[in-house]
Structure formats: C-alpha cells, structure tokens
Amino acid sequence: MNIELLESFGHTYPEELDGSLDCLAFVNCCAFNRWGTLLAVGCNDGRLIIWDFLTRGISKIIQSHVQPMSSISWSRDGKKILTSASDMNVAIHDVVSGECEHKYRFPSIVLTAQFHPRDAERFLVCPMKHSAVLVQISGKHSTLPLDNDSAAVGAEPNVCAIFDRRGTYIITGNSKGKVLVIKTEDLRILASFRISASSSQGIKQIVFARTGSDFIVSSGDRIIRVYNLEDVLQCGVSGNGSEPEPIQKLQDMVNRLAWKKVAFSGDGQFIVAASMRQHALYIWEKAGSGSLVKVLYGARGEVVLDVAWHPIRPIIASISAGIVSIWAQAQVENWSAFAPDFRELEENVEYEERESEFDLEDEDRSLPENGQDAAEDEEIDIVGTAPSSRAFLDSDEEELDLDGVLFLPNAPEIEDPEETPGSVDQNIPPSDESRKRKHGGQFEDPSTRSSSAAMSPKDSNGKSRKTKFYDIELEVMDNNTAGNGLGSAGSSRDSVVGNRKKGKRKI
C-alpha cells in the first residue's frame, strides 16, 4: 500500500459513514495496530476478533475471556495483544497462532490494560478500586504511588493511567481531578497538578498523542483539556510552583454534553470526542483556536462505547449498539484522472471500432522512439519491498521494522472437499456436544478451533505450550502504603497448574 497515493489534498478528517463491520457478537471495545492494517475488537462474550482492515474481512477469532472485554492493547511489533475483561483477568495472546501465553488474575475487575510502547515485557493495568499497577510479564508487579489527597480515609483510588508515547513517563488521574506524572523506571512523582481549582470532578480518561508531547484529559466537568507534557514537567509537583495551564479547552457550549470517549488523530492535528447521550462524534481542530470542524451523527437511540482513530488515514471506528461503524472521507470517482481521454456517458452509445484497434499487431502505428517498446515490456516487481513511508515510522526511526506483523495469513475455506481414502473422518464436522464450551454452554467457533489447532506454538519436544497463570495480589491502600507509593513488588504467585486445561481457569 502506497501511503503517499492515499493522502488527501483536502480535509484530513472523516466526513461520512463508510459502512460497518458485522462481528457476529456484541462489541465493547476496539483498537488498531501500529500501522492500521489490523483492527482488533473485543466482544461481550469474551471473544477477540481481528479484522483485516484493508479487505474488511475477519482474519482470526480468539476466545480470550469468558465475560465482556474492557480494553485491547497491541504490542509495538504487532506480535502480541493484551486484553482485559470483567472476569478480573488480563491475558496476553500470540496474534499469529491465537494461543494464550500468559494470564494474570487480579482481585477486582480490570478497567484498562496497556502494553509499554517500547517494551513488550511490561504493561500497565488499572484495576477497579485499586491504584494502577505496573506488571512485568514474569508476574512481578509494582503499585503506582498515589497523591496525598487520595490517601485520605474513604478516598476511592480509582485511577486511570497511560504511558506516554515512548514509555518514559506514566500519567495518572485520580477521582478528585488531580493528574500525576510518574517516572516509569523508579516510580517517582515528577509533577502533579489539579485540572480545576473550583471543582473536584474525577478524571475519566487520559489519551496521549501518537506524535508530539500533548495529551488529553477528559473529566467529569464536561470539559476536554489539552496539556503539553514538557510544560507540566517544568511546573513540577503541585504546591512547589505554578499550575500548568491547558493549551486548549474543548466543550459543547450549547448542549453541555458529557463525553464518553476521546481520541487523537494519527497526526495529532484533530481531536474526536464521543457524546455520552447519543451516537455523535465531535471533531475539533487542535491547531489554532480549536474550532469545531465536523459533527458525525449515527443512528438515533444508540450510545457510543468506544472510539479509535486510524493511525495513518483519516478514518474513525466507533462502537455503538454492539456494531463497529467506519467513518471515512467522501470518495468522488474521477476516472478522467487515470485516462485523460475518458468520457462519461449518460446513455448507451453505439461504439465504432477503429480499423486496427483490437489487432494483435497494429500495422498503422508509427515506429517506436527511444526504446518505447522496451519500456512497455519491462516487468513490474510486485514481490519486492518498497521503501518505507515516513508515515509508518516514528521520529527516532530510519527504517521500517520488517519483523512486525502487518497482516495475518488466511487459509482458504473449501466448501465441498473431494473425498479421498483415509481422509473421510477429517471432513466430518464435529458434533454440537463436542463443540460445547464449559463456560456458559457456548459453542466453539470452527474458525477458532481450526486456526489454533493448525498453528499452535510448540516447544522443542513438539508439545503445545501451556498457558502460564499468575495471581496478582494487591494490598488494601491505607495511609502508610499510599504515602510511600509502592506496593508489594514481586508478591505475585506463579500458579501454573498441570492438570488445568490450557487457556481456562476455574473461578
């Protein structure tokens, strides 16, 4: 795909509905991979569906959880995917094979989970009624420090947290409207500030831009604030200096709408916010005065659950009523741009063939000049790799990471295979009883069974790898624990059970 040819010369934000994705289940959340070639959606029944966004087809179905999923996060190379759900579990899956490699059990429902942007061995988890936790893939974990105001008796440490785009800092927000900037390596609080001195509305969501150092803070006062990380770090801890001022404040001055989800565009030039009352997407321009440039309305009576902006192209994926809606630019067909002599017809016209138009050799044509025939007979390379576009690269990269997973291979489905001796049993579909799952009596998806059986990872002995289970024990936050900000790092318990079936856990 040539990104330069897809770049628009007009507006760089969606303008109309471009269709929807039928995911065969009620969808809760979605996330694009780093290049925007794959879209992962989490369903209400715990299934993870990966779509090939270019062909708009399902590439893989993974049974990740047994309860509704809450968040999805891709690793930097696209080989791993991190999911969380209401069953209090966080799982790491191999994207190509579909196998669950690690599963972590938390004492409460997990709201969000995010991979480290540069290190797939660490991820950030936000459990309900607990402070955010930085977890290593081996099971060791460290609790993020809380602000002194949150250490009061009866305070709810329901914290939302997110990495910056390089993973150097962690930005957290508490239920009293205070934002902390924490160093990832040693978990020191470098800066803190309150978003509003007049109100103590809790922070609902924090989103970091894909480029630059700006981040969005969405709070309960229905105002979207844009901050710069460098300005926040210069102000330092609250009380030691001046409070940082937001670069922009975005809100609906007429209807005073509350916002369900917010997101940055791929280039960081636009901000989209989903209304909590209806299926409406408000798009603001970040540069300049922050004017409202577009409002996208969906079907009436629907409520938006999640929003994701394509990292490269001006495309938005929104979830409402369990359906993924795709918003894109209005495409105008202009065939004369490819063939200058093309003429559009309003009605059928009888075509008059020229004398030697369809002959194998044109006898009336003029002699070739400057090796024109040699240029026409030149073979076009459709297998080699084209030079990587800057749109796929970060500011500190020079070449594209060819080891990343951009697409997933799909095996062709044969409807009526020929029966041959010795292969009759393979063509018999499994019975309903054999496809029943233990959780909820649900049936196993045939595509999931075939893909996992054919592509399951194996060790040196030829046996399939078993899922590793970890129990993450979090202590109840009291005054002493919240003061020093560190929980019991390394108190996880590896509970790999041999007789437990792969990928399932008794709860």
Side-chain angles (χ1 to χ4, degrees), residues 267-317:
D267 54 2
Q269 298 300 321
F270 296 93
I271 297 173
V272 60
S275 173
M276 190 174 290
R277 298 180 182 176
Q278 57 183 345
H279 191 178
L281 304 179
Y282 289 72
I283 301 177
W284 288 276
E285 186 178 10
K286 190 176 74 69
S289 60
S291 58
L292 181 67
V293 296
K294 189 69 176 179
V295 180
L296 304 174
Y297 290 101
R300 292 187 176 181
E302 297 180 354
V303 179
V304 179
L305 299 179
D306 198 4
V307 172
W309 197 304
H310 194 280
I312 306 296
R313 303 172 60 185
I315 297 177
I316 294 177

Side-chain angles (χ1 to χ4, degrees), residues 275-407:
S275 173
M276 190 174 290
R277 298 180 182 176
Q278 57 183 345
H279 191 178
L281 304 179
Y282 289 72
I283 301 177
W284 288 276
E285 186 178 10
K286 190 176 74 69
S289 60
S291 58
L292 181 67
V293 296
K294 189 69 176 179
V295 180
L296 304 174
Y297 290 101
R300 292 187 176 181
E302 297 180 354
V303 179
V304 179
L305 299 179
D306 198 4
V307 172
W309 197 304
H310 194 280
I312 306 296
R313 303 172 60 185
I315 297 177
I316 294 177
S318 64
I319 298 176
S320 63
I323 300 175
V324 181
S325 302
I326 306 299
W327 306 85
Q329 289 182 327
Q331 301 294 333
V332 179
E333 295 183 355
N334 184 13
W335 295 99
S336 60
F338 302 96
D341 56 346
F342 181 82
R343 181 169 59 93
E344 295 184 2
L345 302 177
E346 297 181 357
E347 58 182 6
N348 294 334
V349 177
E350 184 177 356
Y351 182 73
E352 297 181 0
E353 178 186 350
R354 297 194 301 270
E355 177 62 27
S356 58
E357 182 177 2
F358 297 105
D359 295 345
L360 295 178
E361 295 182 2
D362 190 0
E363 300 176 354
D364 300 333
R365 69 175 180 174
S366 58
L367 296 176
E369 298 179 359
N370 300 328
Q372 183 178 359
D373 285 349
E376 293 180 354
D377 297 339
E378 182 181 357
E379 295 184 359
I380 301 176
D381 183 16
I382 61 174
V383 181
T385 304
S388 58
S389 172
R390 294 299 305 176
F392 287 122
L393 305 178
D394 290 341
S395 59
D396 58 345
E397 291 182 329
E398 296 296 335
E399 296 182 357
L400 182 65
D401 184 13
L402 300 179
D403 294 334
V405 178
L406 275 72
F407 302 97

Side-chain angles (χ1 to χ4, degrees), residues 73-328:
S73 177
W74 291 83
S75 63
R76 180 176 175 83
D77 55 3
K79 297 181 180 180
K80 309 293 181 183
I81 192 166
L82 180 70
T83 60
S84 63
S86 301
D87 56 3
M88 299 184 290
N89 289 330
V90 174
I92 298 178
H93 294 269
D94 186 272
V95 175
V96 177
S97 65
E99 292 292 324
C100 179
E101 297 182 349
H102 304 272
K103 184 165 286 190
Y104 305 84
R105 174 78 172 182
F106 285 81
S108 62
I109 296 176
V110 178
L111 301 177
T112 59
Q114 180 193 9
F115 263 125
H116 191 282
R118 300 299 177 96
D119 185 8
E121 299 293 325
R122 293 183 292 176
F123 57 92
L124 188 64
V125 179
C126 294
M128 182 179 291
K129 296 184 179 181
H130 286 276
S131 178
V133 183
L134 182 62
V135 185
Q136 298 182 10
I137 199 172
S138 60
K140 297 181 179 180
H141 69 278
S142 301
T143 303
L144 268 62
L146 296 176
D147 185 68
N148 294 330
D149 296 341
S150 299
V153 178
E156 291 288 341
N158 192 0
V159 179
C160 59
I162 188 174
F163 286 107
D164 70 328
R165 70 186 186 95
R166 297 184 186 277
T168 307
Y169 305 100
I170 299 175
I171 305 172
T172 66
N174 60 18
S175 58
K176 291 189 176 182
K178 200 160 190 179
V179 178
L180 304 180
V181 180
I182 303 172
K183 186 75 172 179
T184 305
E185 297 300 329
D186 52 6
L187 300 183
R188 291 186 297 110
I189 299 178
L190 301 180
S192 65
F193 65 94
R194 191 178 297 275
I195 60 174
S196 177
S198 59
S199 64
S200 60
Q201 294 288 340
I203 295 175
K204 300 165 58 178
Q205 188 183 7
I206 300 176
V207 179
F208 212 92
R210 186 172 179 265
T211 59
S213 58
D214 296 338
F215 63 94
I216 301 174
V217 177
S218 176
S219 59
D221 58 359
R222 306 179 182 184
I223 299 177
I224 300 173
R225 297 172 174 86
V226 182
Y227 292 92
N228 184 272
L229 181 59
E230 297 178 359
D231 298 341
V232 173
L233 291 175
Q234 289 179 0
C235 294
V237 180
S238 177
N240 299 337
S242 60
E243 295 284 341
E245 292 294 332
I247 301 175
Q248 286 178 342
K249 290 185 179 181
L250 309 175
Q251 60 180 329
D252 186 4
M253 301 296 296
V254 179
N255 301 321
R256 296 287 298 172
L257 294 176
W259 309 111
K260 179 69 174 180
K261 291 287 184 178
V262 294
F264 265 112
S265 62
D267 54 2
Q269 298 300 321
F270 296 93
I271 297 173
V272 60
S275 173
M276 190 174 290
R277 298 180 182 176
Q278 57 183 345
H279 191 178
L281 304 179
Y282 289 72
I283 301 177
W284 288 276
E285 186 178 10
K286 190 176 74 69
S289 60
S291 58
L292 181 67
V293 296
K294 189 69 176 179
V295 180
L296 304 174
Y297 290 101
R300 292 187 176 181
E302 297 180 354
V303 179
V304 179
L305 299 179
D306 198 4
V307 172
W309 197 304
H310 194 280
I312 306 296
R313 303 172 60 185
I315 297 177
I316 294 177
S318 64
I319 298 176
S320 63
I323 300 175
V324 181
S325 302
I326 306 299
W327 306 85

Side-chain angles (χ1 to χ4, degrees), residues 414-442:
I414 303 176
E415 297 181 356
D416 298 324
E418 298 180 0
E419 295 184 1
T420 56
S423 62
V424 179
D425 295 338
Q426 298 178 0
N427 298 326
I428 299 178
S431 61
D432 293 343
E433 295 297 331
S434 62
R435 292 195 294 116
K436 266 192 175 181
R437 293 188 177 274
K438 290 186 177 181
H439 300 283
Q442 298 178 354

